[in-house]
Amino acid sequence: MAQGARRTYGQVAGVLVLAVAVAAFLSVAAMRHGFFDLKVYYGALTFWVHDGGEIYDFLKAGTQYGFTYPPFAALVMLPMAYLPWPAAITVSVAASVLTSAVLIWWLVDPIARRAGWTRWFALAVALCLAAAFEPMRETVNFGQVNTLLLFLVAVDLLRLLPAGNRWAGVGIGLATAIKLTPGVFIVYLLVTRRWRAAFTAMAAAAGASLLAAALFPDASREFWTEALWNTGRVGELAFVSNQSLRGVVARLDPEHPSTLAWLALVLATLAVWAWRARAAVAVGDEATGLALTGAMMCLVSPVTWVHHLVWLIPGLILLVDNAMAVPARGRRRRVLLAAAIIGYGFLISRIVWAWEKDFSGVDGFLGSNTYVWISLALLLGLPIRRWTTPTHGGPGREPGPAGSLAEPGGIPQLDKTDGVTSAGERHRVGGFQPVG
């Protein structure tokens, strides 16, 4: 048997073993939420379309939960009202899996190409690991829209914007019209002075919202004047699933959480994020800009349920990306891989739920906020890469990672040779030097 065939058989066997191991892990670790959130959407749409009620008046029986998204989200989900429940589940799961697979492919493929890995094998391993990732499995089990929103933002930041496409910003605008929190990426575009993309995103968000208002004026009026401000519909801030800075503060004093302390933490977080995001964009590192902004959004949002933490996926993959771009036996590679493994390990472990009933004491403060600490670590420590022109070592050789040494602390500077290669090409095969 040829060596290539043996390698392929070995990789197939490895993927099958990993898939079985992940399935076994999920059988004991994954919670069964019975598509709870999808039932809320489905019930609200059915109540609205078939029963003549207002969509924002609907509450799932025996709960305080109702439809909390803007009217454009209702427009996007409207076909669900005409599907049987099993078909709605199928569409939801398929959409989550497809958008996740494409996003992970965009992030993993450059690593595989630079490291010389078999690309299908790298993607298959990454997808198996993603299936065990608690925010991902919670997104699927709840029937949430998180991966769709992340995908729409990534289309802009990983594909359209680096290529200079004039439509860059539309994905961010549509994601914002579906759920308001991705609007922080419009702020990201403004802070990093990509004016055209920022205004395109604002126009897309406004246009989608106005279209929904024209089609559903009563629902739009109720959302923007009443439902948006009814915070009681989203759940308790101190609940351990709320892995945001607001959740941290609320768990310190559930009866009287300090708004002032929360705002101070938010302002400090935004200052650090703005500094690091601008540094990333200054050297052409759009993927890290995406990861930093996703981590910031999870931190500053008043409510960040565990399933919202799918926004941390780019940061964890980029830790591996940075590790594989430095010398194999160097300390930096070991540190970055250890960080990725530890962060991923905690984010599949459900560790925060050990303090679901009692988050008092030092152990409660540290343990119940574990995912917040991971978001903070990514915001503060995710390396920023300086892209350099790929160099070819000879006929038939693939481009390799350009630099392997971190710059000692200065402001990242773009290489003079950087202009030779387009931003899109840099994302696909270019090398980079970590600078922070």
Side-chain angles (χ1 to χ4, degrees):
M1 184 183 298
Q3 182 177 357
R6 285 198 299 270
R7 183 187 186 192
T8 299
Y9 287 136
Q11 289 174 336
V12 170
V15 170
L16 290 176
V17 169
L18 180 59
V20 170
V22 168
F25 171 76
L26 293 177
S27 69
V28 297
M31 295 295 291
R32 304 295 188 269
H33 300 296
F35 301 98
F36 182 92
D37 289 356
L38 187 65
K39 285 180 180 177
V40 173
Y41 309 151
Y42 190 82
L45 289 165
T46 301
F47 177 69
W48 187 36
V49 173
H50 299 296
D51 299 336
E54 284 294 341
I55 190 168
Y56 295 107
D57 292 339
F58 173 84
L59 291 178
K60 189 176 185 298
T63 76
Q64 62 191 30
Y65 298 107
F67 195 85
T68 59
Y69 293 166
F72 182 69
L75 176 60
V76 172
M77 297 180 186
L78 190 59
M80 189 190 305
Y82 300 95
L83 295 176
W85 174 239
I89 294 175
T90 301
V91 171
S92 174
V93 172
S96 292
V97 170
L98 180 61
T99 52
S100 301
V102 174
L103 171 71
I104 291 171
W105 172 250
W106 286 345
L107 292 168
V108 169
D109 183 54
I111 310 175
R113 297 179 69 175
R114 284 194 300 270
W117 300 341
T118 306
R119 294 160 71 190
W120 73 263
F121 177 70
L123 176 63
V125 169
L127 291 178
C128 287
L129 296 177
F133 191 62
E134 185 178 359
M136 184 69 74
R137 66 189 194 233
E138 293 278 286
T139 287
V140 174
N141 274 322
F142 273 115
Q144 266 284 343
V145 298
N146 304 306
T147 60
L148 171 62
L149 303 178
L150 178 52
F151 172 76
L152 288 172
V153 171
V155 168
D156 276 345
L157 298 187
L158 299 184
R159 284 297 185 262
L160 300 184
L161 196 60
N165 191 295
R166 62 176 180 159
W167 294 103
V170 170
I172 292 172
L174 293 178
T176 303
I178 292 172
K179 187 175 182 179
L180 299 180
T181 47
V184 299
F185 285 92
I186 299 178
V187 181
Y188 166 69
L189 294 174
L190 292 170
V191 165
T192 54
R193 300 180 181 179
R194 268 78 64 79
W195 309 117
R196 178 170 181 169
F199 287 120
T200 299
M202 287 187 276
S209 299
L210 289 173
L211 173 62
L215 294 173
F216 317 124
D218 293 338
S220 296
R221 187 182 308 110
E222 184 171 356
F223 175 79
W224 294 110
T225 61
E226 296 182 30
L228 175 61
W229 314 105
N230 185 359
T231 57
R233 293 161 65 94
V234 299
E236 295 296 326
L237 292 175
F239 184 42
V240 75
S241 182
N242 184 13
Q243 291 293 303
S244 69
L245 293 172
R246 185 64 159 159
V248 173
V249 173
R251 282 186 286 277
L252 288 174
D253 185 359
E255 296 298 324
H256 305 285
S258 173
T259 300
L260 184 61
W262 172 60
L263 291 176
L265 290 171
V266 166
L267 289 175
T269 300
L270 290 174
V272 172
W273 162 76
W275 166 57
R276 300 212 72 217
R278 292 188 66 175
V281 171
V283 295
D285 191 1
E286 205 70 67
T288 298
L290 165 64
L292 292 173
T293 307
M296 177 274 287
M297 182 177 69
C298 293
L299 289 166
V300 304
S301 175
V303 176
T304 298
W305 302 134
V306 169
H307 58 77
H308 294 151
L309 296 174
V310 295
W311 292 92
L312 301 186
I313 287 176
L316 293 174
I317 294 177
L318 289 175
L319 284 175
V320 178
D321 196 347
N322 280 275
M324 299 309 298
V326 297
R329 298 183 181 180
R331 179 176 178 274
R332 185 177 179 87
R333 174 176 286 197
R334 293 195 299 271
V335 169
L336 290 171
L337 287 178
I341 292 169
I342 292 170
Y344 173 79
F346 277 125
L347 281 163
I348 70 171
S349 68
R350 287 185 52 83
I351 188 171
V352 299
W353 298 98
W355 290 272
E356 180 180 4
K357 302 299 184 183
D358 181 10
F359 36 75
S360 61
V362 174
D363 67 310
F365 175 72
L366 296 175
S368 69
N369 300 308
T370 299
Y371 301 164
V372 178
W373 311 142
I374 295 173
S375 297
L376 279 171
L378 288 172
L379 179 64
L380 295 170
L382 184 64
I384 294 170
R385 297 92 52 86
R386 181 182 64 197
W387 292 94
T388 60
T389 305
T391 56
H392 296 266
R397 294 187 61 179
E398 290 293 323
S404 59
L405 298 178
E407 289 187 0
I411 298 175
Q413 297 291 326
L414 192 63
D415 276 1
K416 292 181 180 179
T417 56
D418 195 65
V420 176
T421 308
S422 71
E425 182 68 14
R426 289 199 302 272
H427 175 72
R428 289 191 292 273
V429 299
F432 60 80
Q433 294 180 335
V435 299

